[in-house]
Amino acid sequence: MILEKYQKRKKIIAFFLIIVFLGIALLFQEGIKNCFYTISLPFQKFFLKQGTKISNFFSSFGKLKELREKIDSLEKENYSLSLQIANLKELEIENRELKKALDLNLQKEFNLVLAEVSGKDIGTKDTILITAGKRDGVLEDMPVITPEKILVGKVVKSYKNFSEVALLSKKNFSFDVKIKSKEEQNKKDISAIAKGEGNSEISLDLVPLTAPVSKDDIIISDNMGKIFPKGLLVGYIKDIKKSDTAVFQKIKAQHIFDIKKQRTLFVITGYKE
Amino acid sequence: MIAKKLLITLIGYYFLVLLQASFFPCLFSFYFMPNLVLLSVFLWNFFESKKSLFGIVNAGIGGFYLDIFSNKFFGFYFLISVFLAVIIKFVVKNYVKTPWVKEI
């Protein structure tokens, strides 16, 4: 009887200790997370590096046939590109003069903070961790891009030394985009709303049935909703479905950003005039 | 003995969570990534001695690490894994007999 009572009391104490522990952890969760991320950074970098190596090793076996087909198609594309180069050379002279005036590069357009990908968030799909935080001036809702001007996503949570970045493909994430024709450069851009579908996929909404959209067309960001700056590369169209009963086309797109290939990112902390 | 078990759990789960956050994203798709910690919690509690309660402590540690490396509120994974451990313990104690497995 006494032993049973003692056991029961022990269980109650353990239960309350857990509640107190969780409460404290909830109160100081930012500090705890930041501390663990800082300690884990070298290990995470090591694992990311090794993971990429192994992934590349195995993917090279499985993709032999695909690579051969790609070489063929690239050769064909090469011929048409050579032709385009000849035409573009004329434009280059004109462009050079314009560039002198504008000096187009990332640093001139944005205030940037350099960050490295340190891992993936376990709880939420399509969310990554980067090594820049409040200490570097990184705050929530700031856009994240690659050095090649590919839009990655936006900061959803910033800690002292780290930040969580929601990728564009994250479910329920929506933003304005424009569809640029890959073939005809003079074609008018088509506005659309992009929605994250998860697993690096994006769907495009509000594209009328009559809009001339084709596979592999390029998607760039637009700043109508003031979420992202305009003109940043988002992805390309993968699949188009048209139905007579629907008002809009069903378009699926692929987000270009790949965690396996891209390590260095930039957070846009401000815009320059 | 318990201190040794605790130390192994602390280091082991930290290693598993790091694998899950940094190594697996390179090998698997974001949507088909195994949750090693929850899997370990399940296995540990399934094969642990029916009298021992260390599996629940073990689940708490695993859940705590998962909470650190996820953007859900603190306690989310902690409660899930502890709840999972309690359920497994209950089921194993009352309905499962594994005479061929040597108890840990």
Side-chain angles (χ1 to χ4, degrees):
Chain A
M1 185 73 182
I2 297 166
L3 196 75
E4 249 176 53
K5 222 176 182 181
Y6 175 70
Q7 291 274 355
K8 206 175 175 185
R9 194 179 288 172
K10 238 169 111 180
K11 277 180 189 170
I12 292 168
I13 290 170
F15 179 75
F16 275 106
L17 277 176
I18 289 170
I19 299 289
V20 170
F21 169 75
L22 279 182
I24 293 170
L26 256 171
L27 266 176
F28 300 104
Q29 63 171 320
E30 270 200 28
I32 295 169
K33 280 186 178 185
N34 190 59
C35 174
F36 264 91
Y37 292 160
T38 312
I39 296 165
S40 311
L41 184 63
F43 302 116
Q44 285 196 286
K45 273 186 180 175
F46 171 77
F47 281 131
L48 260 178
K49 207 175 163 187
Q50 297 310 316
T52 313
K53 268 187 195 172
I54 293 168
S55 163
N56 289 342
F57 178 74
F58 283 112
S59 64
S60 60
F61 282 111
K63 285 184 176 172
L64 271 177
K65 196 187 165 194
E66 200 182 305
L67 279 172
R68 211 166 289 147
E69 281 169 4
K70 214 166 192 176
I71 288 169
D72 288 341
S73 74
L74 282 172
E75 267 179 2
K76 278 177 200 165
E77 209 177 316
N78 195 24
Y79 293 129
S80 70
L81 283 173
S82 308
L83 199 82
Q84 275 187 38
I85 286 169
N87 296 330
L88 286 170
K89 268 189 178 161
E90 280 178 41
L91 288 170
E92 197 192 337
I93 302 160
E94 197 183 325
N95 250 341
R96 210 178 291 153
E97 293 303 314
L98 283 169
K99 266 192 177 178
K100 260 184 206 169
L102 293 167
D103 198 12
L104 282 172
N105 61 42
L106 283 173
Q107 294 280 4
K108 299 274 169 187
E109 281 179 67
F110 313 113
N111 295 322
L112 300 167
V113 170
L114 184 76
E116 267 184 82
V117 178
S118 71
K120 187 204 155 289
D121 188 287
I122 288 173
T124 319
K125 315 281 181 196
D126 297 278
T127 307
I128 56 169
L129 282 172
I130 57 167
T131 60
K134 279 177 187 162
R135 194 188 55 180
D136 311 288
V138 174
L139 301 170
E140 272 107 44
D141 293 332
M142 284 181 171
V144 180
I145 59 170
T146 70
E148 295 84 22
K149 270 183 143 180
I150 297 169
L151 190 57
V152 176
K154 71 170 183 177
V155 176
V156 283
K157 179 94 186 152
S158 70
Y159 302 99
K160 196 180 164 194
N161 302 320
F162 293 85
S163 299
E164 283 171 11
V165 177
L167 302 183
L168 298 179
S169 52
K170 191 182 170 188
K171 273 195 175 165
N172 304 323
F173 192 48
S174 62
F175 53 99
D176 301 293
V177 290
K178 274 188 173 172
I179 305 166
K180 256 188 183 306
S181 173
K182 202 185 176 188
E183 305 295 321
E184 296 167 53
Q185 296 297 323
N186 299 329
K187 230 187 218 176
K188 210 182 159 197
D189 297 343
I190 300 156
S191 293
I193 301 285
K195 282 180 186 165
E197 293 290 329
N199 209 13
S200 296
E201 276 192 4
I202 295 166
S203 68
L204 299 184
D205 209 358
L206 304 182
V207 180
L209 277 180
T210 49
V213 183
S214 52
K215 209 182 154 195
D216 291 334
D217 275 358
I218 293 159
I219 302 157
I220 57 166
S221 64
D222 198 11
N223 68 345
M224 264 163 62
K226 309 274 180 209
I227 301 170
F228 296 120
K230 66 177 178 181
L232 298 171
L233 193 58
V234 172
Y236 58 89
I237 291 177
K238 222 169 71 172
D239 186 42
I240 304 164
K241 273 182 190 151
K242 290 182 184 180
S243 161
D244 292 335
T245 51
V247 187
F248 302 113
Q249 300 183 39
K250 271 189 177 175
I251 301 173
K252 276 192 174 175
Q254 180 76 35
H255 186 200
I256 292 179
F257 173 72
D258 186 356
I259 192 173
K260 294 170 201 165
K261 291 173 188 162
Q262 201 76 47
R263 286 289 158 68
T264 314
L265 302 174
F266 289 113
V267 183
I268 300 174
T269 54
Y271 302 94
K272 288 177 180 171
E273 287 296 311
Chain B
M1 187 64 184
I2 288 178
K4 196 179 161 190
K5 263 189 190 177
L6 203 67
L7 191 71
I8 291 169
T9 310
L10 282 168
I11 297 169
Y13 277 141
Y14 182 60
F15 178 74
L16 288 183
V17 162
L18 282 183
L19 273 184
Q20 216 170 303
S22 312
F23 187 71
F24 284 171
C26 302
L27 302 179
F28 301 103
S29 145
F30 273 6
Y31 273 72
F32 305 103
M33 223 179 306
N35 195 326
L36 285 182
V37 176
L38 287 184
L39 197 71
S40 310
V41 167
F42 175 83
L43 291 174
W44 185 285
N45 283 282
F46 193 82
F47 292 113
E48 193 188 32
S49 158
K50 286 170 188 172
K51 289 166 207 159
S52 171
L53 287 175
F54 187 77
I56 295 165
V57 178
N58 183 298
I61 293 168
F64 175 72
Y65 278 135
L66 282 176
D67 277 331
I68 286 171
F69 285 89
S70 87
N71 68 355
K72 297 235 170 13
F73 65 90
F74 229 100
F76 179 81
Y77 279 109
F78 182 90
L79 294 174
I80 284 180
S81 50
V82 169
F83 187 66
L84 178 77
V86 171
I87 294 280
I88 295 164
K89 281 240 162 278
F90 176 76
V91 172
V92 169
K93 197 177 175 184
N94 295 298
Y95 304 105
V96 183
K97 276 185 181 176
T98 50
W100 61 89
V101 178
K102 193 186 165 194
E103 291 181 339
I104 306 165

